[in-house]
């Protein structure tokens, strides 16, 4: 499913296998599914957030949510027909992870969760406006560039995880040095630009008459980008505030 779209869950050839559906995918339907998915994610995040501040150990929820979300994302990516059933579960898993993660950062830096959420929403709205007004266009070169950058970041994170198992730390990736902050800024920008490719994917799917279940798949792609962007923003803010 990885093609010229920067978001690895959404690619240009995803719709090639489909003939025009009797009950086709629509942009409005995808937006509705996205809001439903976001509502589930926020509800689950509130649960793990509340448990954390009530004194419960939510480490298991965070790890379990992250692992379950990763596995579900792989399944959904390679089997879009399962999206209507698995995307809501994915949203809950990611919500449990994000709630626990956010609560941990909030304990260290008061108000950081609200800052990260507001910045994430603002970036989403700004890029949606830029896309609708054609200030930013999802050209083939643009898609290829974002895909290459996204894949590169994924490889670096994978290497960082593997090396971390042996006690080896990748320089600058997680520290609050100026170089480390600069790296985080670049990652945030790449994550944000994936929204443009998500919008383009959904628009193309609606125009080509993809099946109705692809609305859930489009919503899933948006959630993948949203979660990634939020995590990168809260990490960047933590780096900045740790320098104070």
């Amino acid at each position: 499913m990885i093609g010229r779209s920067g978001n690895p869950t959404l690619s240009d050839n995803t719709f090639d296998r489909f003939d025009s559906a009797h009950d086709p995918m629509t942009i409005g339907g995808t937006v509705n599914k996205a809001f439903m998915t976001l509502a589930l994610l926020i509800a689950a995040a509130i649960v793990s957030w509340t448990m954390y501040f009530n004194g419960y150990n939510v480490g298991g929820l965070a790890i379990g949510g992250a692992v379950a979300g990763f596995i579900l994302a792989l399944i959904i990516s390679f089997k879009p027909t399962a999206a209507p059933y698995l995307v809501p579960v994915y949203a809950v898993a990611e919500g449990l992870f994000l709630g626990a993660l956010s609560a941990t950062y909030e304990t260290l830096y008061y108000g950081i969760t609200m800052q990260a959420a507001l910045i994430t929403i603002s970036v989403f709205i700004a890029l949606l406006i830029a896309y609708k007004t054609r200030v930013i266009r999802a050209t083939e070169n643009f898609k290829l560039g974002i895909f290459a950058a996204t894949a590169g970041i994924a490889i670096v994170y994978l290497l960082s995880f593997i090396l971390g198992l042996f006690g080896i730390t990748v320089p600058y990736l997680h520290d609050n040095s100026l170089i480390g902050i600069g790296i985080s800024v670049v990652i945030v920008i790449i994550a944000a630009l994936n929204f443009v490719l998500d919008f383009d994917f959904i628009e193309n799917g609606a125009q080509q008459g993809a099946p109705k279940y692809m609305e859930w798949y489009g919503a899933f792609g948006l959630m993948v980008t949203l979660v990634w962007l939020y995590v990168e923003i809260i990490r960047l803010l933590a780096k900045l505030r740790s320098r104070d």
Side-chain angles (χ1 to χ4, degrees):
M1 305 297 286
I2 301 177
R4 298 295 290 277
S5 170
N7 189 329
T9 68
L10 305 177
S11 64
D12 289 344
N13 62 0
T14 302
F15 301 113
D16 292 347
R17 75 195 74 177
F18 305 124
D19 296 322
S20 183
H22 176 67
D23 187 15
M25 170 186 183
T26 65
I27 293 177
T30 305
V31 171
N32 290 337
K33 304 301 191 299
F35 275 117
M36 293 168 61
T37 304
L38 181 60
L40 288 171
L41 186 148
I42 293 174
I46 291 174
V47 170
S48 56
W49 170 283
T50 303
M51 290 178 63
Y52 179 91
F53 285 106
N54 283 338
Y56 291 95
N57 185 348
V58 295
L61 284 178
I63 296 174
V67 172
F70 177 73
I71 294 173
L72 288 168
L74 289 178
I75 296 173
I76 296 167
S77 296
F78 289 99
K79 192 174 178 58
T81 53
Y85 315 104
L86 296 185
V87 170
V89 184
Y90 166 82
V92 171
E94 288 297 300
L96 293 174
F97 162 68
L98 288 183
L101 178 72
S102 299
T104 302
Y105 275 113
E106 187 71 17
T107 301
L108 298 173
Y109 309 106
Y110 177 75
I112 193 172
T113 302
M114 182 61 70
Q115 290 178 336
L118 289 176
I119 293 173
T120 302
I121 293 171
S122 298
V123 169
F124 174 83
I125 293 173
L127 286 172
L128 178 59
I129 293 173
Y131 177 78
K132 294 298 290 184
T133 57
R134 303 309 185 200
V135 173
I136 296 179
R137 295 178 180 272
T139 64
E140 289 304 308
N141 287 335
F142 181 87
K143 294 176 185 179
L144 183 59
I146 298 303
F147 168 69
T150 302
I153 292 169
I155 291 172
V156 170
Y157 275 151
L158 179 60
L159 288 175
S160 175
F161 174 75
I162 294 174
L163 292 174
L165 297 177
F166 298 96
I168 303 174
T169 302
V170 176
Y172 306 118
L173 187 60
H174 303 293
D175 63 41
N176 65 350
S177 65
L178 291 179
I179 295 177
I181 290 173
I183 291 173
S184 287
V185 170
V186 172
I187 294 175
V188 166
I189 292 172
I190 297 301
L193 289 177
N194 270 270
F195 276 131
V196 176
L197 306 186
D198 297 340
F199 301 149
D200 180 68
F201 176 89
I202 293 168
E203 187 174 61
N204 287 337
Q207 290 175 351
Q208 296 180 33
K212 196 71 173 176
Y213 64 80
M214 292 300 289
E215 292 178 351
W216 282 103
Y217 192 74
F220 163 68
L222 285 173
M223 287 303 104
V224 170
T225 303
L226 189 72
V227 169
W228 180 29
L229 179 61
Y230 173 80
V231 170
E232 294 299 343
I233 287 176
I234 201 169
R235 289 183 68 245
L236 174 58
L237 291 175
K239 287 183 178 182
L240 292 171
R241 292 180 64 170
S242 67
R243 291 176 60 89
D244 295 340

